Amino acid sequence: MEDKKSLYPLKFEPILKDVLWGGKKLRDLLHKKGASERCGESWEISDVPGASSVVANGFLAGNTLGELLEIYMDDLVGDAVFERFGERFPLLIKFIDANDKLSVQVHPDDQMAMREHNSWGKTEMWYVVQAEPDAELIVGFNRPMDANTYLKYLNEGRIEEILHFEKVKTGDVVFLPAGRIHAIGAGLLIAEIQQTSDITYRIYDWNRVDASGKTRELHTELALKAIDFRPVKNIKTTYTPVLNHTVELVKCPYFNTNVIEFNQTIEKDYGNIDSFVIYMCLEGKLTIETFVAPPVEVAMGETVLIPAEINNLYLKPQPSSKILEVYIGKTS
């Protein structure tokens, strides 16, 4: 690590993951170099143990996100964020290409995750970047549910009968608090924002087998402890895009996410949020201009981390763009 210098908008090398259900969209639509035809996930920004993102641009290139946190601390993430989370970056940012449906799963909340795994829980959200016709998500149950009824259907191999299937299209948003049963269906390209946690309890995997004929491990007992059986009233987040304005999508204790569609320069002042900011470019291209570093070009499929010490910047579309804006909100 070089001597401590002023921070700048940071890009990272994507961490690409081949999976049974992956496809070609990360390679062909988001232009991820090195992505295979079975690439299902691109971890854009990660500080998961064993998978810390590596800086791709500027004088910090080659250093990990974890190393940056050790040196820059609150300059990178903000005073309040550093006080709350310490030297572990609190969010995991991904693009997901589901060429086939994912397993039905659930994630623990902070209390259960700390008790069982000495880890944070996993609240997350999805933004549908691209959807094939009739693509679906699974979120929650399609009827009132309790643990005994759930186990009956699960043990009888009939769990598909009680799952709630929801058709989705490009631009749809789904918020998934820890404990909510879910799965991504086939034909979906998703931007995912989540807590830094890789804990997943697999409930059902459509009876799939791998190349050697083996099924994947299920986590029935842990999942039963984690599932929130309360009914879900609104699967999708309701919002109205407004050109050249910041529109709120999700506001929760773990992250705030907004969408910005713009065809003219947007000026941002982050002086009052006390947090880093992440941009995920969903459409088009843009340039980020700050007062501390050369302009940074951002294309569709790229993700940029704006350090907390950078309060003012300009977003300049080329000629239009759509981005997600993510940061940690202040807690009361």
Side-chain angles (χ1 to χ4, degrees):
M1 178 78 71
E2 300 190 28
D3 292 337
K4 187 173 177 180
K5 299 177 182 177
S6 293
L7 288 165
Y8 54 91
L10 297 159
K11 291 184 177 182
F12 296 88
E13 301 287 351
I15 301 170
L16 303 174
K17 295 184 176 286
D18 287 357
V19 287
L20 284 171
W21 42 263
K24 304 177 184 178
K25 291 179 182 176
L26 295 175
R27 182 192 69 186
D28 296 346
L29 290 182
L30 300 189
H31 309 295
K32 299 295 178 184
K33 293 180 180 178
S36 75
E37 295 188 354
R38 298 298 296 274
C39 188
E41 298 189 8
S42 175
W43 290 19
E44 299 288 292
I45 300 179
S46 168
D47 197 26
V48 170
S52 187
S53 294
V54 175
V55 179
N57 66 321
F59 75 88
L60 291 169
N63 291 288
T64 67
L65 180 56
E67 290 169 340
L68 264 61
L69 261 168
E70 290 179 11
I71 299 298
Y72 288 95
M73 299 184 292
D74 53 334
D75 288 340
L76 180 66
V77 297
D79 292 332
V81 173
F82 188 75
E83 182 177 340
R84 182 178 170 192
F85 297 102
E87 292 183 7
R88 174 60 52 80
F89 194 78
L91 296 181
L92 173 56
I93 307 296
K94 302 178 183 178
F95 284 112
I96 297 174
D97 173 19
N99 187 54
D100 194 2
K101 52 186 175 289
L102 277 67
S103 62
V104 181
Q105 54 193 240
V106 71
H107 308 296
D109 62 16
D110 286 345
Q111 290 73 30
M112 181 176 177
M114 190 58 63
R115 184 175 66 248
E116 299 283 346
H117 311 281
N118 193 31
S119 171
W120 293 333
K122 187 173 174 181
T123 286
E124 60 189 330
M125 67 160 283
W126 294 329
Y127 181 98
V128 179
V129 180
Q130 191 261 345
E132 302 296 332
D134 297 320
E136 295 178 313
L137 296 171
I138 292 171
V139 182
F141 301 99
N142 60 17
R143 65 194 74 177
M145 190 54 52
D146 57 59
N148 289 334
T149 306
Y150 161 79
L151 281 175
K152 180 178 185 295
Y153 278 88
L154 181 69
N155 293 331
E156 292 176 357
R158 300 167 56 206
I159 192 170
E160 293 179 43
E161 296 177 27
I162 61 174
L163 300 175
H164 176 82
F165 291 79
E166 181 88 8
K167 289 194 185 309
V168 290
K169 63 185 185 305
T170 299
D172 281 346
V173 173
V174 175
F175 176 61
L176 297 163
R180 186 166 294 173
I181 191 171
H182 61 271
I184 299 175
L188 287 167
L189 180 62
I190 300 278
E192 180 176 278
I193 294 98
Q194 61 160 91
Q195 291 177 265
T196 293
S197 171
D198 200 28
I199 300 171
T200 293
Y201 300 150
R202 195 176 298 115
I203 293 169
Y204 177 66
D205 198 31
W206 314 100
N207 302 312
R208 284 185 289 215
V209 296
D210 61 19
S212 59
K214 294 181 179 179
T215 58
R216 292 199 292 174
E217 181 185 5
L218 302 180
H219 311 96
T220 302
E221 292 185 9
L222 285 167
L224 185 62
K225 295 179 184 178
I227 294 172
D228 182 350
F229 289 102
R230 290 175 295 182
V232 183
K233 291 184 179 180
N234 299 307
I235 303 298
K236 298 177 186 176
T237 297
T238 302
Y239 72 100
T240 302
V242 181
L243 188 63
N244 298 314
H245 286 79
T246 301
V247 176
E248 181 179 291
L249 300 180
V250 170
K251 184 177 183 180
C252 75
Y254 304 105
F255 51 81
N256 292 6
T257 301
N258 304 316
V259 66
I260 309 172
E261 298 183 44
F262 59 115
N263 60 10
Q264 64 187 38
T265 298
I266 301 281
E267 182 178 1
K268 283 289 182 177
D269 181 353
Y270 293 116
N272 65 345
I273 68 167
D274 194 20
S275 169
F276 62 86
V277 177
I278 292 168
Y279 296 131
M280 302 181 77
C281 186
L282 308 178
E283 293 180 10
K285 296 180 180 180
L286 69 145
T287 301
I288 301 173
E289 292 191 359
T290 67
F291 301 96
V292 297
V296 174
E297 305 284 328
V298 188
M300 178 180 176
E302 290 190 311
T303 302
V304 180
L305 172 62
I306 308 299
E309 70 174 23
I310 298 176
N311 291 329
N312 300 97
L313 55 80
Y314 292 93
L315 304 173
K316 296 190 173 183
Q318 303 177 8
S320 63
S321 186
K322 181 197 291 185
I323 61 174
L324 294 182
E325 174 191 57
V326 184
Y327 58 91
I328 306 290
K330 292 181 178 178
T331 55
S332 54

